[in-house]
Structures are given as structure tokens and as C-alpha cells.
Amino acid sequence: MSLAAYCIICCRRIGASTPPPQSTTYWRDIRNIIKFTGSLILGGSLFLTYEVLALKKSLTLDTQVVEREKMKSYIYLHTVSLDKRENYGITYQARRELHKAVRKVLATSAKILRGPFADTFSTIDVEDHECAVWLLLRKSQSGDRTARLQAVQEMSETHHWHDYQYRIIAQACDLRTLIGLARSKESDLRFFLPPPPLPSLNEDTCIEEELRQLLASLPQTELDECIQYFTSLALSESSQSLAAQKGGLWCFGGNGLPYAESFGEVPSATVEMFCLEALVKHSEIPTHCDEIEANGGLQLLQRLYQLHKDCPKIQRNIMRIIGNMALNEHLHSTIVHSGWVSILAEAMKSPRIMEASHAARTLANLDRETMREKYQDGVYVLHPQYRTSQPIKADVLFIHGLMGAAFKTWRQQDNEQLLTEKILEDDARYTTCWPKTWLARDCPALRIISVEYDTSLSDWRTRCPMERKSIAFRSDELLRKLRAAGVGDRPVIWVSHSMGGLLVKKMLLEASKKPEMSTVINNTRGIIFYSVPHHGSHLAEYSVNIRYLLFPSLEVKELSKDSPALKTLQDDFLEFAKDKNFQVLNFVETLPTYIGSMIKLHVVPVESADLGIGDLIPVDVDHLNICKPKKKDAFLYQRTLQFICETLAKDLED
């Protein structure tokens, strides 16, 4: 106002003054113009300086407040005053328009100079060391997939941030970024917020009762016989009635032997195991997964997981359930928001291979940014378990045999000295899974998968009395799961032990009959058989001879030398393998195997392990150790590695 008044007075003086002499008028006009222009520039500069300082003050946080709040897990949001009186007035409107103009200038200059800030972050006043956090956060939400993946990788490789910076990412990142960080090997666990508080249990209930209520809420009709069996056991009225239904030691053909030590009340952990086994079966049905989620199953399983940190078997079954639920993409957001990602990220870094592999399967099913494959129950990726820039050029599949497992079958040969010394998993002297440690290091371009399925030598120990699965049934089931995991899209080598080799033969024969499975056949490069009873096993003959005591399972009966199914399988596959020119390597044991402390048996003799094609190599070990090298430079492993490298030589070079 003062500036405008001064200008008016100057103009009036110029207009009202008498005409001076011509010689002095010219210089006086120049002086007046200089005074007017200088006053206008000075006043305008002062006004703009004031407004810029006011704008800066309005956009700058109190540094003391920031220092106090840095360690708190808050996200600061821009708020608008609810006082309507502040939205009126010429001064307010003028300042508002000026602020808009300044923002437009800043935005335009940023575009010209290719500035990295988007509109979302253009009004944030941060220090230089804070910019990286917000830039990576914005980049991780880019529409460009390559930019998102690069942002996640850069986040995972950052280890110099403060706690509050990791928490900013943890709270502000989206689902894709969080899962990507969990699947990045170098990620700091501070990227993951702890799970939200679990709902409190009712005073008159316990975990066991909550599990039963969850099972009771699931559909009970049109179920597989084994699902019905496990569900009925878990829904028993009490632990005592559960023991009665199990029948203890005297339950012929039932499930008595594994729990023969319990004749009275069954421990709560055992009841919980039955509940979890039933839930594992239910979680294989997509509609049942929806029911589990709707009835609070994710929170209940999380509580049980935390309570049984000292019981790996319970934790593995819980992981199996979550992994099965993760196969349904519409449940991903619910699984993430329930806090499971932080638990899985921590489990991924466990030195225990089984725990890490179960977590890796679940996270792979959640990761739709980089994964097309889906890993169903029993299919585990041993390498690579994290996201990797290493191109995967071929697959190696490991199929165990009778009474085997996806991990323990492929461990290093047991050494009493090493076991008593409790060697750590990362120690070079011992490994609990040589495909994951040795083979992955020697051939990083391979995807290594191990398969697990339930088997039993005798109906005494069958997990489900109604379960009578033949080799044909199991091969069809495994083939379907492996195809869902992308097996057949790359060159494949099959590695099998004992009955697992028969499953491989049956799977390949069945795949050759189905057009949708043709890629599995076309990409199969070779097969390794560790003591596979192509012509029958002495174990089957022994079991059948005392069948009235042992009640041999259907799998064992099919291994008999006089089994028509076994002979047909051998004849058909031999002709098929010769036609396809598969590369084959056979190993066979030469030492008898101790079954218990009384029985010594040569399980697979040399003549039975001879497929008819490929090299046949006798090894001075028993049936259990034929697939367990003593050390990395042992002949058994080195010959296996040589076969894989030679068979895949062309594929690995491309």
C-alpha cells in the first residue's frame, strides 16, 4: 500500500509542477524515472523475499520435532485446517495463488532438467541423505516393470540407512515391493513390520479347541477319504477319545505305530498335528482356502507358529498350509496384511534348509512380479530360492524313493564325528542337502527342484489307512504338480533314488500320451538312477513272505519281481528311452542294508538295477547311502556332476 501511495504522489508532482527551463527538465525527468523504477524494484524484491520465506516456513518441519519422531513408525500426511475462516481474505488468496505459481515454476524446471520428483513428492522438504529413500519408493511403484525390479534390488542392497528409513519403506511400499524385498537375498529384516497384534483367545478356549472350530467350519461333504479321516480324528471330542480312535499299538492296519507310546491321553501337540494335517489337505481345495481365511485361520496359524518355535514339524505343516493358500492370488493381499511376509522373510534366512525351503515356496507363490510358475504342496525349489539376475537355463529334478523325503534323502552321508560336533549348515565339511549346497554352487544356471510325497513300507505305518496309492496314481499326481511348476519349459535332467526311478519312468510314459505334456518329453535330456529296482527288489519279496506280520503297503507289493505292472513298465520304458535317445546313468549298491538291528538285506541287486541302456556303476555302499556322497570330491558326486554338465553342455552354453 505504501508503495502505491508513493507512486501516486510522484506522478502528481510531475503533473502539477511549472514548466522548468528546457535544460533542467530533461535531467529531472530521468531522476524521477530512476526513483520510481528503483522504488518499484526494491519494494517488489522485498515482497517476493517475504513470500518466499513464508512459503519455505510453511513447507519446512521443525527439525527438533523431526529428530524426536525419527525413531517412531509414523507416516506424516499433509493436513488441511478445518477452520473455514483461514480460507478467506485477500492476503490468503494472494499467497495461495503465488504458491501455486512457484510450484508450477519448480515443476516446469524439474521437467526441463529431468528432475526425478513427481507431483507426489514435489512439496516434500527433505535433506540430501533422505532423497534416496523417497526416490526408490517412487521408482518401486513405477509403471515400468524393469524400473520396479531395479528399485527393489537397490533397496535390498542398501545397508547404511537408519531404522526410521527402513520403517518408512516398510509402511509406504506396496505389496509387490514388500514381497520382492522378502525374496531378495541381501534384504534387511527391518524392511518388514512385525505382524499386527493377534486377537485374544477366549478365556474358556485353547489353541486346540480353536483349531477344531476352524476345521468344523470347513465343508465336510464330497471330500477325499483321507481328508475325512484326518478331519474326523481332529474333531474328536477329547484327547482320550482320539487315543481310542487311534487304537494305540493294537490298531491293525491303522495309524497306531507312530503313536504307540501313547495309550491314554494324547499330548496336545499330537492333537494339533492331526488338526494341521487335516488343514493341509483342506488347503489344497481353493474354496476351502477362502473359508480358512474368512474364519480367522491366518491369525490362528500365526499364533500356533509363534507358540511352537521349538517344534519344526508343526511349523512346517503351518508353512505348507500358507503355501497352499498362496496359490490363490485373490488371497495374497490378506496374507500380506496379516503379517506373514515378515515371518517368511525371517524363515528364508534360516540356516535350516527345510525351514528356508518351505518359506521360499510360499514367497515364490506370492511373487507374481517375477514368477509365472506355481509350486504346489510337495514341490520345493532348492535353487534359486531368491530373486536372481542369473539366467536359468535348465532344470534338475530330484525324486526320492520309499520312506524318503525331499531333503533328508539327499543329505551327505552321515558321519558320527561330524554329527557329534554339531557342524553348522554353512560349514563346508557337511551338508544336509547336497543338491542345494554343492550342485547349486557348481552349476548356478540350474533350477534345482526336489519333490516330496508320502510313502510307507507297511500298512502298519501308513498315515491314512484308506490311502492305497499305486505308482500309476502317484506319477499322474506328481506330473501334474511339476507341470504347474514349469517343468518342461527348459531342458530337464531327472535324478531318482529307488522307487523314485519307477515314478520317473511312469511319468515320462504318461507324458508321452498327453499332447499338453509334450514339452516334458521334448526337453528331457537325461536320467540318473540311484539303485532303482527296474526288475524288482528283495525288500518286496521279504515283505510279502511275512505279509501276515508286516502288512506290506501297495508300493512295496508293486516292487515284487513277479509284479506284472513292473514288468510292463520296464519293457515299455526301455523301448521308449531308446527311441528318444535319452542319456542314462545307473548307480547300484554292492553292500547289504541293515533294517533295524536284526535284518540285513541286499535291497536292490546289481541285475535289477540294470535298465538295459546307459552306464551301470557299482558303488561300495548300501541302499540308503547310494545317493549320499561322503564328501564333495567323492566319486559318487563327481560322476553325477560330470553327467549333468556333459548332458546339458549345449544348453548351458546358449
Side-chain angles (χ1 to χ4, degrees):
M1 294 297 291
S2 60
L3 178 63
Y6 177 77
C7 293
I8 293 173
I9 293 172
C10 290
C11 291
R12 285 181 178 179
R13 286 180 177 178
I14 294 173
S17 60
T18 58
Q22 189 172 2
S23 60
T24 60
T25 301
Y26 176 75
W27 293 106
R28 186 178 296 172
D29 290 343
I30 291 177
R31 285 197 301 270
N32 289 335
I33 291 173
I34 292 174
K35 289 179 181 179
F36 175 77
T37 306
S39 300
L40 183 63
I41 292 174
L42 179 60
S45 300
L46 292 174
F47 178 73
L48 288 175
T49 302
Y50 169 77
E51 291 299 331
V52 169
L53 291 175
L55 176 62
K56 181 178 179 181
K57 183 177 180 181
S58 65
L59 296 179
T60 304
L61 293 173
D62 184 357
T63 56
Q64 293 182 355
V65 174
V66 173
E67 291 298 328
R68 287 197 303 266
E69 298 296 322
K70 272 184 177 181
M71 298 308 295
K72 295 184 178 180
S73 54
Y74 297 151
I75 295 179
Y76 295 94
L77 303 176
H78 176 68
T79 58
V80 180
S81 175
L82 298 178
D83 188 355
K84 295 183 178 180
R85 292 176 297 178
E86 296 184 8
N87 298 331
Y88 299 96
I90 297 176
T91 303
Y92 172 80
Q93 296 295 337
R95 292 180 63 183
R96 182 179 178 183
E97 293 302 322
L98 181 61
H99 292 180
K100 285 184 178 179
V102 172
R103 288 193 182 97
K104 288 182 179 179
V105 172
L106 291 175
T108 303
S109 63
K111 291 180 180 179
I112 294 175
L113 299 174
R114 297 184 180 274
F117 286 107
D119 293 338
T120 308
F121 304 119
S122 62
T123 59
I124 295 178
D125 184 20
V126 295
E127 299 179 10
D128 293 341
H129 69 277
E130 302 283 4
C131 292
V133 177
W134 295 101
L135 288 175
L136 286 176
L137 187 59
R138 174 185 177 268
K139 192 175 179 181
S140 69
Q141 299 173 6
S142 168
D144 183 6
R145 177 177 175 273
T146 303
R148 293 197 302 268
L149 295 178
Q150 184 180 1
V152 172
Q153 182 179 353
E154 291 177 7
M155 287 181 186
S156 67
E157 294 173 351
T158 303
H159 302 288
H160 61 274
W161 286 347
H162 299 289
D163 286 347
Y164 75 93
Q165 292 173 305
Y166 288 103
R167 291 173 183 172
I168 288 174
I169 298 293
Q171 294 179 94
C173 71
D174 57 11
L175 181 147
R176 269 184 319 212
T177 304
L178 189 65
I179 294 173
L181 288 170
R183 294 197 68 236
S184 299
K185 189 172 184 179
E186 302 299 328
S187 287
D188 195 298
L189 291 178
R190 288 174 291 179
F191 277 122
F192 311 101
L193 295 174
L198 297 173
S200 57
L201 285 174
N202 297 329
E203 294 182 357
D204 56 343
T205 60
C206 60
I207 290 287
E208 178 184 328
E209 187 60 31
E210 291 280 347
L211 282 172
R212 285 176 173 161
Q213 291 177 7
L214 178 61
L215 272 177
S217 68
L218 302 178
Q220 304 297 325
T221 58
E222 300 181 359
L223 299 178
D224 178 84
E225 288 183 340
C226 284
I227 300 180
Q228 293 179 358
Y229 170 74
F230 285 119
T231 303
S232 64
L233 286 180
L235 293 179
S236 301
E237 296 180 2
S238 65
S239 298
Q240 288 84 353
S241 61
L242 179 58
Q245 288 195 32
K246 283 172 18 185
L249 179 62
W250 313 112
C251 180
F252 287 94
N255 204 14
L257 270 181
Y259 305 97
E261 71 277 3
S262 177
F263 291 91
E265 182 175 352
V266 179
S268 60
T270 302
V271 178
E272 290 166 358
M273 277 300 303
F274 269 91
C275 292
L276 290 174
E277 287 175 346
L279 284 173
V280 168
K281 297 293 184 181
H282 280 281
S283 64
E284 295 176 356
I285 306 173
T287 55
H288 291 207
C289 290
D290 296 338
E291 294 292 332
I292 293 173
E293 184 274 324
N295 291 296
L298 289 171
Q299 291 76 19
L300 180 60
L301 292 173
Q302 192 176 124
R303 185 191 304 277
L304 192 62
Y305 186 91
Q306 301 291 357
L307 287 175
H308 290 283
K309 289 187 176 181
D310 57 342
C311 186
K313 191 173 183 180
I314 286 182
Q315 289 193 331
R316 287 197 298 269
N317 274 337
I318 293 174
M319 285 285 190
R320 289 174 65 189
I321 297 169
I322 304 300
N324 290 344
M325 296 180 68
L327 292 169
N328 305 282
E329 294 187 29
H330 65 279
L331 295 178
H332 286 186
S333 61
T334 308
I335 294 173
V336 172
H337 293 149
S338 64
W340 270 104
V341 174
S342 61
I343 297 174
L344 295 170
E346 184 177 359
M348 278 278 283
K349 298 182 181 298
S350 171
R352 296 194 294 267
I353 288 179
M354 294 178 68
E355 181 180 356
S357 298
H358 278 81
R361 170 187 169 246
T362 303
L363 286 171
N365 287 336
L366 288 172
D367 185 10
R368 296 298 93 193
E369 180 87 327
T370 61
M371 303 293 296
R372 292 182 297 114
E373 305 86 356
K374 291 188 176 182
Y375 298 99
Q376 299 186 25
D377 189 31
V379 180
Y380 302 98
V381 177
L382 302 180
H383 174 80
Q385 293 186 337
Y386 294 98
R387 285 185 178 182
T388 177
S389 57
Q390 168 73 51
I392 303 301
K393 299 181 178 180
D395 292 337
V396 177
L397 310 180
F398 287 81
I399 317 294
H400 67 79
L402 272 173
M403 302 301 294
F407 309 100
K408 71 176 185 180
T409 292
W410 311 106
R411 67 185 184 274
Q412 185 177 349
Q413 186 172 330
D414 296 337
N415 184 308
E416 292 184 4
Q417 181 180 358
L418 292 177
L419 291 178
T420 54
E421 292 177 358
K422 297 182 179 180
I423 299 300
L424 296 177
E425 179 58 43
D426 58 351
D427 194 297
R429 289 182 291 170
Y430 187 79
T431 175
T432 57
C433 187
W434 59 263
K436 184 182 186 303
T437 51
W438 298 347
L439 185 59
R441 290 172 186 170
D442 291 334
C443 300
L446 298 178
R447 180 177 66 156
I448 304 172
I449 293 178
S450 188
V451 172
E452 184 163 309
Y453 56 95
D454 296 326
T455 63
S456 60
L457 289 173
S458 168
D459 282 343
W460 280 96
R461 294 186 62 87
T462 182
R463 296 176 64 249
C464 174
M466 285 73 71
E467 188 174 52
R468 298 291 188 271
K469 293 185 178 180
S470 63
I471 291 177
F473 180 90
R474 291 191 188 280
S475 64
D476 183 70
E477 184 179 47
L478 288 179
L479 182 62
R480 174 178 51 82
K481 290 183 177 182
L482 291 174
R483 190 68 193 98
V487 173
D489 296 338
R490 307 181 186 93
V492 182
I493 285 184
W494 305 78
V495 183
S496 59
H497 174 237
S498 191
M499 193 188 80
L502 303 181
L503 288 175
V504 171
K505 292 161 62 176
K506 188 64 176 178
M507 278 191 283
L508 292 176
L509 286 174
E510 291 300 316
S512 66
K513 302 174 184 177
K514 301 176 181 179
E516 67 273 16
M517 297 289 181
S518 59
T519 56
V520 177
I521 302 301
N522 296 334
N523 279 320
T524 293
R525 298 289 189 266
I527 311 170
I528 298 177
F529 295 111
Y530 288 108
S531 286
V532 174
H534 301 291
H535 304 281
S537 169
H538 288 166
L539 177 64
E541 296 176 3
Y542 182 85
S543 300
V544 171
N545 289 336
I546 55 173
R547 57 184 176 274
Y548 296 109
L549 179 61
L550 287 183
F551 287 94
S553 62
L554 179 59
E555 297 104 316
V556 172
K557 293 177 183 177
E558 287 187 324
L559 299 182
S560 302
K561 286 186 177 181
D562 56 352
S563 170
L566 190 62
K567 187 177 187 307
T568 301
L569 176 62
Q570 167 61 17
D571 294 341
D572 292 346
F573 182 79
L574 182 59
E575 181 181 357
F576 174 71
K578 289 179 179 179
D579 179 63
K580 295 297 181 180
N581 195 28
F582 292 151
Q583 299 300 306
V584 176
L585 177 63
N586 303 280
F587 292 101
V588 60
E589 78 244 25
T590 59
L591 301 180
T593 303
Y594 284 89
I595 302 176
S597 58
M598 301 291 294
I599 303 173
K600 186 171 67 172
L601 190 66
H602 199 158
V603 179
V604 178
V606 175
E607 60 273 13
S608 181
D610 187 3
L611 177 64
I613 56 175
D615 294 338
L616 177 62
I617 303 176
V619 184
D620 293 333
V621 292
D622 61 20
H623 187 72
L624 297 178
N625 289 319
I626 188 65
C627 56
K628 300 176 179 61
K630 286 186 177 181
K631 49 187 178 179
K632 188 175 181 181
D633 59 358
F635 170 78
L636 197 57
Y637 172 72
Q638 290 299 322
R639 184 65 181 90
T640 298
L641 178 63
Q642 179 187 357
F643 177 85
I644 293 174
C645 292
E646 290 177 353
T647 305
L648 295 175
K650 293 183 179 179
D651 301 298
L652 295 177
E653 288 176 359
D654 296 338

